[in-house]
Amino acid sequence: RDEAKMNPRLSANTKMPIDVLRNNFQVICLFALWFALNILYNITNKWALEDVREKVIEAASQQNDFEVSYLSSSLPITIGCIQFGIGSAYACFLWLLRIRPVPHADELSRGMTVVKRNCIGLVRMIRSAQLTESFRIAIVSPRERSNIPSPATLRDTSKIAVYHTFGQLCTIMSLSTNSISFAHVIKAMEPLFSAVASWLVLGQVMNIRVYMSLLPVVFGVALACAGAKEFSWVSFWSGMGSNAFFAMRGVVSKTVMEKSVSQRARIINDTDVDQRERGYLHGSQMSPANLFAAVTCVSFLLSIPLALISEGSILKMLANQSAEMEGQDMSRTLAYIISSGAFHYLNNEVMYVTLSKVHPITLAVGNTAKRVFIIVAGVMVFSTPVTVETAIGATIGIGGVFVYSLMKQWYDNSGQHSTNEATEEDVQTTELAHTHVI
């Protein structure tokens, strides 16, 4: 004890293992929570879809002139819209209570983020999205003008939201017409779509070995689909559409976040001393969590007309039948829908916290393991029949995704280290742009 007092460095070293163990324990808990929320979302979402289908078919059977398809009977667009709404309510709750900085209100001064909390940012965001430039400047005080999102930022956020909306709705449609395991095997093809989208849109060409690592993914998914007992073309093409939309969302998100990073670097640069001294940023700089929150809000608004147009007649029929049958209990169905929406948004929140504590490669490994746990949980809960071909194909496909993630990160890091332009935050930004949690 006396030696530790005489040597502070020795005392610090004795505390290091405790800090490491504490950090490792936190990471393990975060991964466990992330996996649990993903599994709970998929299971409650499937329960909600099946419960709604049962009630819609029962109501339609009492009206001889009303026909409903198997896909629309589960109201996947409406359920997706409600889930977006729940996520939007959660995000707005954090903004209104100022627990989280309002999007586009992040300011940088001398390399540090300073968040202005001089007014409620939600009202400001609505004003900037709906009013003209001249009228908006007239009603907003000069002190607040630096916090207004630029039209370019709103356009970028809207683009991401369009791809996110259709990607998530396609995912729910895939889940509604087949098993959880089948939908997630199809979702394993998403890296292939991301590679093609990055090449076509960004002109990004990866190492040939990275492209070769996608061949086992294609082979595994094809083998799993060929051996599936309950194959559905609707589920297959919905899953493929989801992959395409999410790939485009990842590409657009990457460009937006890279633009944000370049804006931050420009403000910190000595040539922009004038802007630094004035203390505001012309443009916007959002964290990935805030970007996802803003995208969720826009997706909610976009999905409302889609739900009314595609499933409005079914909703009206179901409402009329529920009014006539006063004893019909909808509490369980509503509980499934609300809980699935909460689980879907919260698992993204946990993902962002997890990424802040681990390397992106660790997150890629966890993302692959997560899909395995979801498939196994879906098979166990819903007693899904699995053939040998499907099991082997799913294993090859998901293993291929794991190899692809490692090889892509390896070659990306090799190129970045050679140019000395990448930082740890840049690597995390790229990983977040292509990470999706369903």
Side-chain angles (χ1 to χ4, degrees), residues 145-405:
R145 290 175 191 170
S146 61
N147 286 333
I148 297 175
S150 65
T153 300
L154 292 173
R155 285 195 299 269
D156 291 338
T157 305
S158 300
K159 288 179 184 178
I160 300 172
V162 169
Y163 293 123
H164 179 71
T165 302
F166 285 101
Q168 182 64 17
L169 295 181
C170 284
T171 298
I172 297 176
M173 287 190 288
S174 180
L175 287 169
S176 70
T177 52
N178 212 315
S179 63
I180 293 178
S181 58
F182 183 87
H184 276 273
V185 170
I186 301 299
K187 290 292 295 178
M189 287 280 287
E190 188 174 333
L192 175 63
F193 286 82
S194 297
V196 174
S198 298
W199 173 54
L200 294 176
V201 178
L202 302 177
Q204 178 183 356
V205 179
M206 296 180 290
N207 189 285
I208 186 63
R209 296 179 181 85
V210 179
Y211 290 113
M212 293 293 292
S213 66
L214 289 170
L215 294 179
V217 180
V218 178
F219 173 75
V221 172
L223 180 62
C225 292
K229 284 187 175 181
E230 299 178 354
F231 182 83
S232 169
W233 282 111
V234 176
S235 180
F236 176 82
W237 288 116
S238 297
M240 288 297 180
S242 172
N243 290 335
F245 284 120
F246 280 135
M248 288 302 301
R249 185 203 65 171
V251 170
V252 177
S253 299
K254 183 178 180 181
T255 58
V256 171
M257 284 192 263
E258 286 179 348
K259 185 189 303 182
S260 176
V261 172
S262 65
Q263 285 179 340
R264 179 188 60 195
R266 179 171 56 83
I267 296 300
I268 295 175
N269 194 285
D270 290 336
T271 59
D272 289 321
V273 175
D274 181 43
Q275 288 193 15
R276 291 215 320 269
E277 289 179 350
R278 284 184 292 178
Y280 62 84
L281 171 63
H282 291 294
S284 64
Q285 198 272 334
M286 280 198 296
S287 66
N290 253 349
L291 178 61
F292 181 79
V295 166
T296 301
C297 293
V298 179
S299 294
F300 172 58
L301 299 177
L302 291 175
S303 60
I304 292 176
L306 294 176
L308 294 177
I309 293 172
S310 61
E311 300 168 353
S313 59
I314 303 177
L315 290 171
K316 183 178 179 181
M317 181 270 299
L318 190 61
N320 293 334
Q321 287 295 115
S322 299
E324 295 176 1
M325 302 173 60
E326 297 180 357
Q328 189 175 15
D329 187 14
M330 296 288 293
S331 59
R332 186 182 66 177
T333 305
L334 292 175
Y336 288 155
I337 296 174
I338 294 174
S339 59
S340 64
F343 290 142
H344 175 260
Y345 195 88
L346 288 176
N347 65 38
N348 286 276
E349 291 286 298
V350 174
M351 182 197 68
Y352 296 126
V353 177
T354 305
L355 184 61
S356 66
K357 293 182 176 294
V358 299
H359 193 274
I361 292 182
T362 306
L363 188 76
V365 175
N367 200 38
T368 304
K370 174 208 70 179
R371 201 173 296 279
V372 174
F373 279 100
I374 292 174
I375 292 175
V376 173
V379 170
M380 294 176 61
V381 173
F382 296 96
S383 302
T384 306
V386 179
T387 63
V388 177
E389 293 86 353
T390 301
I392 295 175
T395 303
I396 295 175
I398 295 176
V401 173
F402 172 67
V403 174
Y404 165 80
S405 300

Side-chain angles (χ1 to χ4, degrees), residues 1-11:
R1 185 180 304 174
D2 294 337
E3 185 179 358
K5 292 181 179 179
M6 295 294 295
N7 191 349
R9 184 176 300 178
L10 179 62
S11 178

Side-chain angles (χ1 to χ4, degrees), residues 27-49:
V27 170
I28 293 173
C29 292
L30 286 172
F31 270 102
L33 181 59
W34 183 30
F35 287 7
L37 289 171
N38 272 273
I39 293 172
L40 288 172
Y41 164 69
N42 281 271
I43 291 176
T44 54
N45 191 30
K46 187 66 176 177
W47 279 341
L49 292 167

